[in-house]
Amino acid sequence: MSEPQHPEVVRIARDLIRIDTSNYGGGRANGEREAAEYVGAHLEGLELETAYYEPIPRRTNVMARVPGRDPDKPALVVHGHLDVVPAMAEDWTVDPFAGEVRDGMLWGRGAVDMKNMDAMILTAVGDILRAGEQPERDLVLAFFADEENGGVEGSALVVKERPEWFAGATEAISEVGGYSITVDERRAYLLQVGEKALIWIRLVAKGRAGHGSRLHEDNAVVRLAEAVAAIGRTRWPIRLTPTTRALLQGLSDLTGRSTDDPDELAAASGPAEAFLRSTFRTTANPTALSAGYKHNVIPERAEALIDVRVIPGTEDDVLAELQRIVGDDIVIETVVRDIGMETPFEGELVEAMVGALGRHDPGVPVIPYLLGAGTDNKALTTLGITGYGFAPLRLPADLDFTGMFHGVDERVPVESLVFGQQVLADLLRSY
């Protein structure tokens, strides 16, 4: 039996989900080559010239440049990543790599992060070119590898080794922005104008190896467990930035509430509450533990991975505080460290993004926010390119969209993908 006919944006997102590009981190990944070749074939079908860069076997990046009507305007980078975090199939309602459409939703790993946006980019550009039109300015379409590992084997290498891909570009748009939330039963859109800094650290505890049956007070596992628990229990203080203050003002305007408690205002945003609260403070979450090799052997070494996301400008202070929390017996190794950034909620591109949303969802406010995570926009800043999060999606009020980033049963409404394709095409035609 043939599959039902879905809109092109859904078909492309589905096809990409079915290419398992799981990225386990630390250089362990299935690789993005097949996904990059799929994207490249689609771009070539639009009569665009593609370029590939594979600095590490199977870690493939692909780009194409779309000529604009006004070559004197700076180019705009429109980018996505092709890798996804792994998924444990037994935890899911559906096969995470089947790309199943059910109940008006596209399900699968990457439906939210971020093969949805990859498909929206391809179809929005396709709408323009197939109509015999051009975007207002040159577009650099880039699809990166390894974003889920901080981009160290993807965008970080591309901007270093292929800077000519981005010649003449000054701004960029990508994931985790432009989507709707519901605040006290009123819809609003979040436009991402900044990102927290990223610091991935490894805790290392050492002790004395020995037999598991003995009285043993120099146990690396115990020492590590105490350090991990101490970090996990730490509640970091609120530190507002210009962007988070603007977000709070927008939430206050929507709710009519006047309060000095940012968490109280964030609570009005329903399922997005935890996502927004993370932007007000540093977060440090233990994510992996490693120790031992046999039940009756006390190991000499134990390790833990901690995902630290930091308010821009406070990185060194946070690392010093983490060392104080775990104590001098624990070694802190920095695995990946990347910048934070923040851009004013103003300018022609911001106005164009707000305008495009307004034309397709009139009267709905757009509020700036600081992303608690990170994107490949960090790498592009090294080339002087200012990045924003704009993957426009009009979402149901009861859908915990932000909770599905790296979560179980990741899914996105079909009609939201079509909406995003239309808004994005509108923006690229007019800006």
Side-chain angles (χ1 to χ4, degrees):
M1 180 182 295
S2 62
E3 291 188 275
Q5 188 72 3
H6 299 294
E8 182 187 31
V9 65
V10 176
R11 298 197 306 271
I12 291 175
R14 176 202 63 194
D15 291 349
L16 288 171
I17 288 169
R18 290 175 177 176
I19 303 171
D20 182 354
T21 53
S22 293
N23 188 347
Y24 298 87
R28 297 184 303 115
N30 291 351
E32 298 83 0
R33 182 183 293 167
E34 288 78 15
E37 290 172 345
Y38 176 97
V39 168
H42 185 88
L43 294 170
E44 290 161 7
L46 298 174
E47 300 184 356
L48 296 172
E49 182 177 343
T50 56
Y52 291 86
Y53 179 53
E54 188 175 278
I56 297 167
R58 295 193 52 76
R59 310 313 304 274
T60 315
N61 308 269
V62 59
M63 68 81 67
R65 195 174 188 107
V66 184
R69 293 190 300 271
D70 188 346
D72 294 330
K73 288 187 174 181
L76 175 69
V77 182
V78 187
H79 64 97
H81 63 83
L82 296 172
D83 61 326
V84 296
V85 296
M88 303 295 288
E90 60 269 26
D91 297 334
W92 284 57
T93 304
V94 302
D95 179 344
F97 297 104
E100 182 176 338
V101 177
R102 178 191 293 191
D103 301 327
M105 301 261 191
L106 173 65
W107 297 61
R109 179 59 89 210
V112 167
D113 184 12
M114 68 165 296
K115 291 176 176 179
N116 60 340
M117 176 61 167
D118 295 334
M120 287 156 53
I121 294 169
L122 294 174
T123 51
V125 171
D127 286 347
I128 295 169
L129 297 182
R130 288 167 184 159
E133 302 172 353
Q134 287 180 280
E136 175 62 21
R137 63 186 67 219
D138 281 12
L139 304 178
V140 178
L141 310 180
F143 299 84
F144 295 116
D146 201 45
E147 192 275 345
E148 297 294 1
N149 186 47
V152 295
E153 295 185 352
S155 60
L157 295 179
V158 174
V159 298
K160 181 180 179 181
E161 303 295 336
R162 295 291 186 273
E164 66 276 9
W165 281 12
F166 310 99
T170 58
E171 296 171 311
I173 58 173
S174 188
E175 59 177 332
V176 207
Y179 59 90
S180 71
I181 61 172
T182 301
V183 181
D184 280 354
E185 301 183 357
R186 293 186 61 190
R187 188 163 58 249
Y189 288 92
L190 295 178
L191 180 57
Q192 189 258 97
V193 298
E195 302 179 6
K196 289 166 74 176
L198 179 152
I199 308 177
W200 285 345
I201 62 172
R202 178 184 294 113
L203 305 184
V204 180
K206 293 185 178 180
R208 184 161 48 89
H211 197 290
S213 67
R214 65 175 292 164
L215 183 66
H216 196 99
E217 296 179 352
D218 188 14
N219 190 315
V221 175
V222 173
R223 189 167 291 139
L224 179 76
E226 290 172 341
V228 169
I231 288 178
R233 294 189 184 109
T234 297
R235 293 297 172 260
W236 297 82
I238 289 173
R239 296 190 65 159
L240 299 180
T241 73
T243 300
T244 50
R245 289 191 181 94
L247 166 70
L248 291 171
Q249 184 60 57
L251 294 176
S252 179
D253 292 343
L254 279 168
T255 63
R257 301 181 194 178
S258 178
T259 175
D260 293 329
D261 184 356
D263 290 334
E264 182 180 333
L265 277 175
S269 62
E273 174 186 357
F275 205 70
L276 295 183
R277 288 180 62 200
S278 72
T279 71
F280 304 149
R281 49 175 60 81
T282 287
T283 59
N285 284 308
T287 55
L289 299 169
S290 176
Y293 51 91
K294 195 173 187 300
H295 209 131
N296 61 348
V297 178
I298 298 169
E300 182 181 12
R301 180 184 176 102
E303 300 180 357
L305 302 182
I306 314 292
D307 186 344
V308 188
R309 308 297 176 124
V310 182
I311 301 298
T314 68
E315 294 90 332
D316 291 337
D317 291 342
V318 166
L319 283 172
E321 179 63 12
L322 286 166
Q323 190 70 72
R324 187 199 67 77
I325 291 168
V326 302
D328 293 337
D329 288 343
I330 302 294
V331 174
I332 295 180
E333 300 175 352
T334 299
V335 179
V336 177
R337 178 169 174 170
D338 210 343
I339 60 169
M341 53 197 187
E342 192 169 15
T343 302
F345 185 59
E346 59 187 36
E348 291 184 8
L349 178 53
V350 169
E351 292 172 1
M353 291 186 286
V354 171
L357 284 169
R359 286 189 290 275
H360 293 266
D361 199 359
V364 178
V366 181
I367 304 172
Y369 89 110
L370 179 76
L371 176 62
T375 75
D376 285 319
N377 279 328
K378 293 181 186 294
L380 292 172
T381 62
T382 64
L383 300 177
I385 297 171
T386 301
Y388 300 88
F390 190 70
L393 295 167
R394 183 170 56 199
L395 299 165
D398 59 350
L399 182 68
D400 185 7
F401 179 75
T402 58
M404 286 188 288
F405 282 87
H406 299 189
V408 172
D409 285 347
E410 192 177 338
R411 60 197 184 278
V412 64
V414 166
E415 63 181 19
S416 299
L417 292 175
V418 174
F419 173 87
Q421 172 188 350
Q422 294 169 345
V423 174
L424 196 57
D426 189 343
L427 173 71
L428 300 181
R429 280 189 177 99
S430 59
Y431 176 67

